[in-house]
Amino acid sequence: MNLLGISGSLRAGSFNTALLRAAQALAPEGVSITLFSLRDLPFFDQDLEAEGDPAAVVAWKEAVHAADGLLIACPEYNGGITGVLKNAVDWASRGKPAPLAGKLCCLVGASPGMTGTVRAQDALRLSLRRAGARTEPQGDVLVGQAHTKIEDGVLTDERTIEALRRHLKAFAEAVRA
């Protein structure tokens, strides 16, 4: 099974990208997680789309199409979804068939705040559903106070590691079903 991991943060020291790297190491047997950077995606522009998708958009759409499911690490900025992540959803909602149509998505998120990324994940879930994607039914991974659980880009908190491991197993089972 091939999952596509996407971080909604472009920051080099991103807690959410670190969460995806931890997920790669914790993935169940037979599951691989390939990370895809959203850094090169242009802002969605229907005029640009009409000229033909830019190479970065083509690569993004092909990666989504090819994946068995998406593992999305969703930061929370000002109580909502990041622009880079919303932009990626917008691009992948376009086309016939749209890359996100019917795609099963699992949301995780890490933030220095106490509640993790609960509001951003709710907003992302709404955007994904509007784009035709299905969101993973196993609950949320909300890593609050991430700066105490991710050190130098490595997830170190044992309780969070076990929660992520269980979550990934449940997601893989949902994708197989």
Side-chain angles (χ1 to χ4, degrees):
M1 174 182 305
N2 298 306
L3 302 179
L4 187 65
I6 302 121
S7 175
S9 173
L10 302 178
R11 187 171 67 90
S14 166
F15 295 130
N16 286 279
T17 304
L19 201 55
L20 289 176
R21 284 193 303 271
Q24 284 180 305
L26 298 170
E29 188 174 330
V31 175
S32 66
I33 301 171
T34 302
L35 302 188
F36 188 96
S37 174
L38 301 176
R39 180 172 296 282
D40 296 328
L41 278 183
F43 288 119
F44 177 77
D45 176 342
Q46 199 166 0
D47 292 335
L48 186 61
E49 180 187 43
E51 296 171 9
D53 286 344
V57 173
V58 171
W60 165 235
K61 287 181 174 183
E62 287 176 351
V64 173
H65 267 302
D68 296 312
L70 303 182
L71 176 63
I72 304 173
C74 178
E76 184 168 298
Y77 292 0
N78 298 314
I81 185 175
T82 63
V84 70
L85 196 48
K86 178 65 169 79
N87 185 55
V89 170
D90 290 345
W91 276 114
S93 72
R94 309 286 290 191
K96 301 258 188 256
L100 281 174
K103 195 65 66 172
L104 190 58
C105 301
C106 176
L107 310 183
V108 299
S111 170
M114 292 291 283
T115 60
T117 60
V118 67
R119 291 175 299 272
Q121 286 190 35
D122 285 345
L124 178 57
R125 209 172 270 107
L126 177 63
S127 290
L128 287 168
R129 280 195 300 261
R130 291 283 182 156
R134 299 177 300 134
T135 53
E136 192 274 323
Q138 300 302 316
D140 301 324
V141 171
L142 303 166
V143 182
Q145 297 187 318
H147 59 288
T148 67
K149 298 171 183 165
I150 298 171
E151 300 172 18
D152 298 320
V154 177
L155 179 60
T156 57
D157 181 69
E158 286 301 320
R159 189 170 169 198
T160 305
I161 288 169
E162 285 311 309
L164 183 57
R165 185 186 324 269
R166 285 190 310 273
H167 197 69
L168 291 168
K169 182 177 182 233
F171 181 57
E173 289 169 1
V175 171
R176 285 186 185 106

